[in-house]
């Protein structure tokens, strides 16, 4: 079982790249943001519980998020691997992921690929994306800036967790989609 983590701030291109790479390497793309949006759209209890956090650009509490991820991994246990997009976002999620992967699949994260993009580029990219995404958290600049703040306050530190295990590869997230796919693919090919 191969587990690739795509890491980076909102708007760094994780979702776009995860979709392409999942097809290329036959991995199941799991986006916790997409799972939350699905639950909100369908008015599930989880969707209702998560909504106020998401609408304010805050992280959803770890327990809710990890439970949702666990369900999704279990539901897809026939897959040959996963590309995780948007999880883990806190050190406690990273620790929970290790436990889950071991418990469910006797597996571990192969590599964490971190994309770095200038903050102002992130804001502009997300505002542009809002024209198609229909996401209310993409359309408001204050919410976008809150999401970036959450990233620096709670998520950026997660890179140390993987660096300490020699599992972190840092890449420039600016350039054409194809260029970035190429550099991510080279790193994935080294570990799968
Ligand atoms: P994304 O689509 O990855 O940008 O996620 C959209 C929103 O969903 C985030 O701003 C958070 O509110 C929530 N979210 C997604 N993944 C996580 C996570 N791993 N931990 C906490 N909240 C999350």
């Amino acid at each position: 079982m191969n587990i690739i983590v795509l890491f980076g701030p909102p708007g760094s291109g994780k979702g776009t790249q995860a979709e392409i790479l999942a097809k290329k390497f036959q991995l199941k793309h799991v986006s916790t943001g997409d799972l939350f949006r699905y639950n909100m759209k369908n008015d599930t209890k989880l969707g209702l519980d998560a909504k106020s956090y998401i609408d304010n650009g805050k992280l959803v509490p770890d327990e809710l998020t990890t439970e949702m991820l666990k369900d999704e991994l279990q539901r897809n246990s026939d897959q040959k691997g996963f590309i995780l997009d948007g999880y883990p976002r806190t050190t406690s999620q990273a620790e929970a992921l290790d436990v889950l992967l071991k418990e469910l699949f006797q597996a571990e994260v192969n590599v964490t690929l971190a994309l770095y993009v200038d903050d102002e580029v992130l804001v502009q990219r997300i505002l542009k994306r809002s024209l198609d995404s229909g996401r209310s958290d993409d359309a408001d600049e204050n919410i976008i800036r809150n999401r970036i703040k959450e990233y620096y306050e709670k998520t950026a530190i997660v890179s140390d967790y993987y660096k300490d295990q020699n599992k972190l590869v840092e890449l420039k997230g600016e350039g054409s989609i194809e260029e970035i796919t190429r550099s991510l693919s080279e790193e994935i090919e080294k570990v799968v």
Side-chain angles (χ1 to χ4, degrees):
M1 177 77 82
N2 290 308
I3 317 288
I4 311 296
V5 173
L6 274 196
F7 186 80
S12 57
K14 299 185 298 294
T16 305
Q17 293 294 338
E19 207 176 307
I20 300 170
L21 295 166
K23 283 203 191 90
K24 185 163 172 186
F25 291 96
Q26 292 168 301
L27 300 166
K28 168 78 180 165
H29 174 197
V30 173
S31 153
T32 42
D34 284 350
L35 291 170
F36 281 129
R37 283 185 285 280
Y38 175 85
N39 277 280
M40 289 193 296
K41 199 170 143 214
N42 289 284
D43 290 327
T44 67
K45 176 164 188 313
L46 173 65
L48 291 174
D49 290 344
K51 188 173 173 7
S52 63
Y53 298 98
I54 293 173
D55 285 351
N56 289 301
K58 294 286 206 188
L59 291 186
V60 178
D62 288 336
E63 210 175 304
L64 281 181
T65 309
T66 299
E67 200 49 44
M68 176 179 76
L69 177 84
K70 182 179 180 182
D71 285 350
E72 183 70 4
L73 294 180
Q74 273 177 319
R75 248 200 308 275
N76 289 283
S77 56
D78 57 334
Q79 298 279 335
K80 68 172 204 148
F82 294 94
I83 183 153
L84 300 182
D85 152 17
Y87 189 101
R89 261 174 153 110
T90 62
T91 301
S92 120
Q93 290 183 13
E95 289 165 354
L97 178 63
D98 283 350
V99 174
L100 270 182
L101 291 175
K102 187 152 195 286
E103 188 183 295
L104 296 176
F105 310 123
Q106 283 298 315
E108 55 179 69
V109 170
N110 299 49
V111 70
T112 293
L113 303 171
L115 291 171
Y116 292 101
V117 175
D118 177 82
D119 289 354
E120 290 314 307
V121 176
L122 295 174
V123 175
Q124 294 315 316
R125 275 191 189 177
I126 296 174
L127 283 172
K128 189 165 169 236
R129 177 173 79 186
S130 75
L131 302 175
D132 309 312
S133 74
R135 284 174 55 171
S136 55
D137 64 341
D138 279 354
D140 178 319
E141 190 166 332
N142 288 326
I143 299 176
I144 296 172
R145 292 197 186 272
N146 270 344
R147 289 161 63 198
I148 295 174
K149 191 159 161 270
E150 285 281 269
Y151 170 80
Y152 286 113
E153 285 180 3
K154 298 179 184 159
T155 305
I157 186 80
V158 178
S159 63
D160 286 350
Y161 183 84
Y162 292 110
K163 198 184 261 172
D164 290 345
Q165 300 176 35
N166 285 321
K167 286 183 175 175
L168 184 75
V169 179
E170 300 178 278
L171 299 156
K172 216 174 104 197
E174 289 176 57
S176 73
I177 291 178
E178 294 75 14
E179 272 163 10
I180 297 163
T181 304
R182 210 173 308 127
S183 52
L184 292 168
S185 297
E186 279 171 18
E187 297 303 327
I188 296 176
E189 274 154 12
K190 289 182 195 167
V191 297
V192 299

